[in-house]
Amino acid sequence: MKGTIVVIPAFNEARTIREVVTAVRRLDLDGIILVDDGSTDTTATLIRALETEDAAAPILELIRHRSNRGKGFALASGISRALACGGRRIVTIDADGQHCAGDIPRLERAAMRAPDAIVIAARTEAREAAPPLRRFANEVADFWISWACGRRIEDTQSGFRLYPAAVLARLSVRPRRNAGFAFETELLIDGVAAGAEIRSVPILTRYLPDRRLSHYRPWRDTWSIIRLVGAKLLRRGLYPTGLLRSLDRADGPAKGGAAALRDID
C-alpha cells in the first residue's frame, strides 16, 4: 500500500538483517529506512550490499550511528526521517527475525478501518513460546502502560507497530540519548493523550532458538518503563479512572478501548 514507510532499527543483526529486509522489500511500500545503531559486526556491510541488489524494490535508505545509542534513539532517528520523506504511515519492525514481514499488510488493513489509530502487532497467539521471564516482564509492562493509557492494551512491548504520520506529528519524536525501550512506551501513552486510538492485530509469538539474545533486559528495562509510567501517572493524580478502565476486559472501541482486529479475508 503506497504511503507506508518501514523503519527497521538494527544493532548487531548480521544473522537476520538480510532475510528481514528481503521480506519487507517484497511488499508494495514507499520505502525502507534502516538505522544501524553502531553495530560492531557486519550489519552495515550487509545493508549496503542489499541497496544495490534490486533496483525495482522499495527505496532503501541507511542511517548509521557511530556508536550504540539505544533502541529509542534509533527508532526516533528512523521515524523522523520517514516523516521528512512524507510517509503517511510509519511501520516499525525489529531486525531480529521475530516478526513476520508478511503481517505488514494486515496492519495496513487495520489502519484503513481506523486511520487515526496506532496499530500494534500483538504477540497473543502461542504466547507460551516466549521465555517465562520475558513473558512476565511483558505482563508487568502491559499492566502499567494500560493504566497510564486508560484502556487495556495487548503486548505493549511489541516493536512491530504502525503509526499514522498525523499522530506522530503531534508528538515529540526527536532522538534522545538513553531513551531505550521506554521510548516506545512514551509513544503509546502520549499518542493516546493526543487523541489516538489503539488497535491490535494478533500475530504469532516467534522466539527462535538460533537467534541472538534479546537486547531487552527484563529487569532493568522493565524498571525504566515503570519509572516513566509512574511519573506520568503522578502528574495525573495517579489517574484512578484509567486504572479502572484498563482492568475492564470488556472495554472496546465504543468505550475508548483497544480493539483486537482479525482479518476476515
Side-chain angles (χ1 to χ4, degrees):
M1 181 185 299
K2 291 298 182 181
T4 300
I5 294 178
V6 175
V7 173
I8 308 174
F11 174 59
N12 290 344
E13 302 289 8
R15 288 186 183 181
T16 54
I17 192 66
R18 183 181 182 85
E19 66 181 80
V20 171
V21 173
T22 299
V24 173
R25 294 186 95 180
R26 295 192 186 107
L27 305 174
D28 184 25
L29 304 168
D30 265 3
I32 304 169
I33 297 172
L34 287 115
V35 184
D36 175 27
D37 191 29
S39 294
T40 55
D41 63 2
T42 59
T43 296
T45 302
L46 291 168
I47 293 171
R48 289 197 182 97
L50 286 166
E51 285 184 284
T52 59
E53 279 191 5
D54 186 356
I59 296 170
L60 186 63
E61 181 173 342
L62 172 64
I63 298 173
R64 190 167 192 204
H65 298 158
R66 292 183 179 179
S67 61
N68 178 248
R69 299 183 179 184
K71 187 181 182 184
F73 196 102
L75 276 173
S77 295
I79 289 172
S80 296
R81 179 58 185 158
L83 291 173
C85 290
R88 297 196 303 275
R89 292 169 297 274
I90 315 300
V91 171
T92 62
I93 186 169
D94 293 339
D96 60 2
Q98 70 165 293
H99 303 133
C100 177
D103 285 324
I104 291 176
R106 298 179 61 212
L107 302 189
E108 292 179 306
R109 287 194 288 272
M112 289 180 65
R113 300 171 202 160
D116 294 323
I118 297 171
V119 183
I120 300 172
R123 298 162 294 184
T124 55
E125 298 182 352
R127 183 168 265 183
E128 65 279 1
L133 180 58
R134 185 65 181 274
R135 192 163 65 244
F136 171 75
N138 285 352
E139 288 170 356
V140 170
D142 285 351
F143 168 78
W144 285 91
I145 296 167
S146 294
W147 180 354
C149 288
R151 63 207 65 192
R152 184 169 175 265
I153 301 175
E154 295 279 6
D155 199 4
T156 59
Q157 297 310 290
S158 173
F160 191 9
R161 302 177 180 177
L162 182 149
Y163 299 95
V167 170
L168 290 173
R170 301 196 291 268
L171 309 180
S172 173
V173 292
R174 295 189 307 274
R176 303 191 307 276
R177 278 190 177 275
N178 303 318
F181 287 85
F183 176 75
E184 291 169 292
T185 294
E186 195 169 16
L187 286 182
L188 280 183
I189 297 172
D190 291 352
V192 170
E197 297 180 46
I198 303 292
R199 292 288 184 265
S200 65
V201 171
I203 64 169
L204 187 67
T205 303
R206 303 170 73 207
Y207 280 88
L208 307 176
D210 61 335
R211 304 306 189 198
R212 58 121 177 108
L213 293 176
S214 173
H215 296 310
Y216 187 90
R217 300 156 298 184
W219 298 112
R220 182 173 176 177
D221 289 319
T222 300
W223 175 240
S224 175
I225 290 167
I226 290 172
R227 282 188 298 141
L228 169 74
V229 175
K232 289 184 177 291
L233 287 174
L234 285 172
R235 286 197 288 270
R236 301 188 68 178
L238 290 183
Y239 193 23
T241 304
L243 174 60
L244 292 175
R245 287 176 178 168
S246 71
L247 295 174
D248 185 0
R249 289 181 174 270
D251 196 21
K255 299 169 68 176
L261 302 170
R262 291 184 179 273
D263 290 326
I264 58 175
D265 52 340

